[in-house]
Amino acid sequence: MSIRAHIDAVYDEVRRRNPGEAEFHQAAAEVLHSLTPALERHPEYAEPGFLERLCEPERQLIFRVPWVDDQGVVRVNRGFRVEFNSALGPYKGGLRFHPSVNLGIVKFLGFEQIFKNALTGLGIGGGKGGSDFDPKGRSDAEVMRFCQSFMTELYRHLGEHTDVPAGDIGVGAREIGYLFGQYKRITNRYEAGVLTGKPVGWGGSHARTEATGYGAVYFAQEMLATRGESFDGRRVVVSGSGNVAVYAVEKVHALGGRVVACSDSSGYLVDDNGIDLDLLKDVKEVRRARLSAYAEARPGAVFSARGTLYDVPCDVALPCATQNELRREDAVSLVKNGVRAVAEGANMPCTPEAVEVFRDAGVLFGPGKAANAGGVATSALEMQQNAARDTWTFDQTESRLATIMRTVHTECRTTADTYAADPDDYVLGANVAGFLRVAEAMTAQGVI
Ligand code: NDP
Ligand code: 2IT
């Protein structure tokens, strides 16, 4: 069987064994289909059973999460943790609380996380989890009770050497605090390294909050530099207005660019004078309000509940909200308006059809598993600090983050050049570089 036919057969089997899990199929297809040149050079990874092992999570947990709301009504959610691959280290990856969460979404995120974490070079395996719990509109007390119930089941599977969750959509410092408190209470252990994304005052790392957004901008900066360009004076759109988006805006502004649009699930905002970051943080981080509140407070800013921010002319687009939010027609619009580079702050925000449009137009495209690796990389730095009972300064941590992002960028390009004779093929570069690191460890550790 040719390598191509083998990959197709493995993919067909992934679809058959995981029915209805569209996002997982999509993520698996993207990785598997870029591995052909890697398997041609390393035929041992095309042996029967190898890719099949890679695509089958080591462990999948699904559990009931009952909790009582402020009215005394019992609510029941579903919790997930997919421990996908531990070849390089303890399972590592965030928890997502959003009503759309299901097993297929968690599996897609866990699968991506394997290669992303490998790219950081930091000794972390891949996992992801979450719940279909919707924190929107819930009081702090409700969120606390939910987190306590969630951890009461999950704690037995965690440990600083076993599985280390962090945040993702709907999970930030507040939720990590409640989850940590319950873990500590049940286990009677102050095991700081069991969760990352903790507040800085008690075991959290400086720059972890900023890391994903900052890292995505560093990655885009490196991509632009390959063409002798920079952020200086550039118009940028950033989708979302959560943790990743806010700190992407902050770093773009620090580098002399101007973010003219951002969004949330209720619509998008255009502010041609450049997003006012203090106001954005106040609306989204302090008040947890809708984005329209920003437009109400800022003359000249326009909020639209319909349409898309990808129709706003820009030089750089940073999708930082959620999967499959940037579709073919959005990519066509961005290209028509002269976009130079797109870097994924979110996980898989661009559909495969959109990525094809960017590729055909010669637009620089940084895939999420490379461009947003700064978040999990800084989580690994948090684990290092916890293990050493040490605290690094903000500057020290950010400078390590910047070095890691530059290294990830270089590795994508050199791998793409070696395996596809096209250094601009960041998708292939990221997939192959991450895969080779995991594959080598899996082979050395035997059939497990
Ligand atoms: P947040 O919950 O802080 O923010 C998410 C943002 O995206 C919000 O503005 C939210 O709008 C918007 N959004 C979420 N779901 C949808 C949807 N279905 N439709 C439209 N808008 C939506 O999450 P993060 O910023 O942490 O995560 C954003 C992305 O980045 C995710 O893909 C995540 O997996 C990825 N990521 C996060 C990392 C991290 O360290 N946090 C690390 C690497 C990747 P609203 O408030 O209206 O829901
Ligand atoms: O998608 C991701 O990389 C994250 N949500 C961060 C994971 C982590 O463990 O910091």
Side-chain angles (χ1 to χ4, degrees):
M1 198 192 281
S2 73
I3 281 174
R4 191 66 216 216
H6 172 59
I7 286 174
D8 287 345
V10 171
Y11 177 59
D12 287 347
E13 189 64 1
V14 166
R15 288 178 61 102
R16 193 189 66 76
R17 288 167 68 83
N18 303 280
E21 298 179 356
E23 292 83 3
F24 178 44
H25 302 167
Q26 184 182 332
E30 191 220 82
V31 170
L32 288 172
H33 289 133
S34 58
L35 293 183
T36 307
L39 300 196
E40 276 164 357
R41 284 186 187 219
H42 300 274
E44 66 276 22
Y45 302 144
E47 291 291 323
F50 190 83
L51 292 181
E52 290 87 336
R53 274 202 293 144
L54 187 72
C55 294
E56 182 70 15
E58 291 175 16
R59 190 175 296 111
Q60 306 181 53
L61 310 161
I62 304 181
F63 50 95
R64 181 172 71 198
V65 189
W67 56 283
V68 181
D69 73 15
D70 284 348
Q71 281 69 48
V73 177
V74 174
R75 305 275 177 170
V76 180
N77 285 101
R78 190 170 287 176
F80 301 90
R81 186 76 180 163
V82 171
E83 299 181 331
F84 222 121
N85 191 300
S86 61
L88 292 175
Y91 309 107
K92 183 81 195 89
L95 297 172
R96 177 178 291 189
F97 293 169
H98 192 272
S100 63
V101 167
N102 58 39
L103 183 60
I105 299 238
V106 178
K107 244 191 249 175
F108 121 63
L109 291 163
F111 187 72
E112 290 284 291
Q113 202 82 45
I114 302 170
F115 308 100
K116 181 196 305 190
N117 294 5
L119 276 175
T120 68
L122 287 169
I124 36 180
K128 199 84 185 191
S131 174
D132 57 1
F133 171 70
D134 186 356
K136 267 200 203 83
R138 292 289 172 198
S139 68
D140 286 354
E142 289 178 315
V143 170
M144 181 181 75
R145 288 195 293 276
F146 174 81
C147 288
Q148 290 175 340
S149 181
F150 185 88
M151 186 53 91
T152 300
E153 182 58 34
L154 189 62
Y155 87 95
R156 69 190 86 244
H157 303 286
L158 305 184
E160 61 179 327
H161 302 294
T162 309
D163 186 349
V164 182
D168 194 83
I169 291 176
V171 178
R174 173 182 62 171
E175 291 72 21
I176 293 295
Y178 294 146
L179 291 164
F180 184 83
Q182 187 72 349
Y183 182 87
K184 178 166 67 77
R185 181 190 195 189
I186 295 173
T187 60
N188 195 29
R189 282 165 64 87
Y190 202 107
E191 195 181 329
V194 74
L195 287 166
T196 61
K198 299 178 292 298
V200 172
W202 48 273
S205 174
H206 284 293
R208 174 62 188 90
T209 305
E210 294 83 358
T212 312
Y214 279 19
V217 174
Y218 286 137
F219 196 90
Q221 185 187 27
E222 292 293 312
M223 292 200 303
L224 289 168
T226 65
R227 299 201 175 158
E229 298 176 22
S230 76
F231 270 105
D232 200 23
R234 294 297 194 175
R235 281 171 66 90
V236 180
V237 303
V238 175
S239 73
S241 49
N243 172 257
V244 180
V246 163
Y247 292 95
V249 174
E250 186 164 284
K251 188 51 81 178
V252 168
H253 286 180
L255 296 177
R258 181 154 44 111
V259 179
V260 293
C262 66
S263 63
D264 68 10
S265 60
S266 65
Y268 72 100
L269 176 84
V270 179
D271 189 344
D272 257 318
N273 296 318
I275 299 286
D276 177 333
L277 200 62
D278 289 337
L279 178 58
L280 184 67
K281 284 182 179 175
D282 180 55
V283 169
K284 299 308 290 189
E285 293 183 346
V286 181
R287 289 151 59 189
R288 295 182 190 268
R290 306 280 69 203
L291 209 45
S292 50
Y294 176 106
E296 283 155 20
R298 171 106 161 151
V302 179
F303 176 80
S304 312
R306 290 218 189 85
T308 164
L309 83 173
Y310 296 120
D311 287 338
V312 179
C314 65
D315 303 300
V316 180
L318 302 172
C320 296
T322 195
Q323 65 276 353
N324 292 328
E325 49 147 313
L326 195 164
R327 295 166 179 274
R328 188 178 183 284
E329 53 275 24
D330 303 319
V332 168
S333 178
L334 285 165
V335 168
K336 182 164 67 69
N337 288 325
V339 76
R340 319 281 306 148
V342 178
E344 293 186 323
N347 286 306
M348 210 168 76
C350 299
T351 64
E353 296 76 23
V355 177
E356 209 175 298
V357 170
F358 294 139
R359 181 175 315 195
D360 291 348
V363 171
L364 290 161
F365 175 73
K369 62 172 78 66
N372 71 40
V376 77
T378 307
S379 278
L381 301 182
E382 182 171 331
M383 291 162 73
Q384 284 185 27
Q385 292 169 74
N386 294 154
R389 299 188 182 281
D390 196 4
T391 307
W392 307 346
T393 64
F394 191 97
D395 288 350
Q396 211 178 344
T397 319
E398 197 198 346
S399 113
R400 293 241 2 220
L401 165 66
T403 304
I404 291 166
M405 294 314 295
R406 271 196 293 275
T407 309
V408 170
H409 176 265
T410 305
E411 195 160 331
C412 288
R413 285 188 75 80
T414 49
T415 307
D417 197 20
T418 305
Y419 285 85
D422 177 8
D424 283 349
D425 191 344
Y426 290 93
V427 172
L428 184 136
N431 288 339
V432 169
F435 167 78
L436 290 175
R437 199 164 276 157
V438 179
E440 192 185 334
M442 283 175 67
T443 304
Q445 292 169 19
V447 177
I448 54 170

